[in-house]
Amino acid sequence: MRFCIVGEASNYYKVIHYFDSHDYRGIRRNIIKSMFDRWRIDKIDETDYTKVETIKTKKTKEKEVMTSKQKEIMDIIVKMLDNTNYLLQKDIIVKGYTKKLVAETIRNDKILDIYGLQRTRTNNKLKEKFEIKNVGNPAILIKK
């Protein structure tokens, strides 16, 4: 059995593995570098190291921070906040959008940072400051 290294990435080798001397096609395999030393025992290395290609890892695109729907929702919420100092999360209803999308948008810290808002749970001090008369500690949106 023999092999030929075709390419090298950061964590694996691309190898063509030939099973006998008559095998001219071989099988392409990706072998993890940590396993390569054990794998190549009893195999003949026919690699021309001048032709070994280095493989660059693919960069993944970063997801957009917010979609156009989320932007429209946040614009409506900011207009609602202009009139008051705070908004209770359960009172935020945006017509034309699902409750789930609105809730996901409000919980996203990156989006809130863009608009200069903060989502917090109320405590006794915040309840006194904003004069909130709810039982429990509801989530509110406030300006930073």
Side-chain angles (χ1 to χ4, degrees):
M1 296 211 284
R2 55 197 172 96
F3 68 92
C4 176
I5 299 173
V6 179
E8 178 182 1
S10 61
N11 59 345
Y12 66 91
Y13 291 108
K14 276 193 174 279
V15 175
I16 300 177
H17 184 213
Y18 303 98
F19 286 98
D20 56 25
S21 59
H22 303 291
D23 188 3
Y24 63 93
R25 282 188 181 167
I27 296 174
R28 292 187 174 271
R29 295 181 176 198
N30 294 337
I31 301 174
I32 299 172
K33 285 186 175 182
S34 61
M35 299 294 291
F36 183 74
D37 288 334
R38 274 189 261 147
W39 178 84
R40 73 180 194 174
I41 294 173
D42 298 332
K43 295 178 181 72
I44 300 167
D45 185 1
E46 295 183 347
T47 305
D48 182 2
Y49 286 96
T50 59
K51 295 181 180 179
V52 174
E53 172 188 342
T54 56
I55 302 165
K56 295 180 182 176
T57 57
K58 296 178 182 177
K59 294 181 180 177
T60 57
K61 291 183 180 179
E62 289 186 25
K63 239 173 102 174
E64 289 183 12
V65 175
M66 72 176 124
T67 63
S68 60
K69 288 182 179 181
Q70 289 174 326
K71 184 177 180 349
E72 292 170 5
I73 291 169
M74 286 306 297
D75 290 339
I76 293 168
I77 291 173
V78 168
K79 286 179 186 175
M80 292 167 71
L81 261 172
D82 286 341
N83 301 334
T84 60
N85 295 331
Y86 71 95
L87 282 174
L88 288 172
Q89 181 175 340
K90 67 179 184 177
D91 293 340
I92 299 173
I93 297 171
V94 182
K95 291 184 180 177
Y97 298 100
T98 61
K99 288 182 182 179
K100 181 181 177 186
L101 182 61
V102 173
E104 286 176 2
T105 304
I106 292 170
R107 286 192 183 110
N108 191 331
D109 291 332
K110 291 179 182 177
I111 294 175
L112 293 176
D113 285 341
I114 291 170
Y115 285 90
L117 302 176
Q118 182 179 4
R119 178 184 177 270
T120 59
R121 288 274 176 191
T122 57
N123 54 23
N124 289 336
K125 291 179 184 177
L126 287 175
K127 280 186 174 184
E128 289 173 10
K129 180 180 178 184
F130 295 120
E131 299 174 4
I132 300 172
K133 297 176 183 173
N134 276 14
V135 176
N137 297 328
I140 60 171
L141 283 180
I142 55 175
K143 294 178 185 175
K144 284 187 178 178

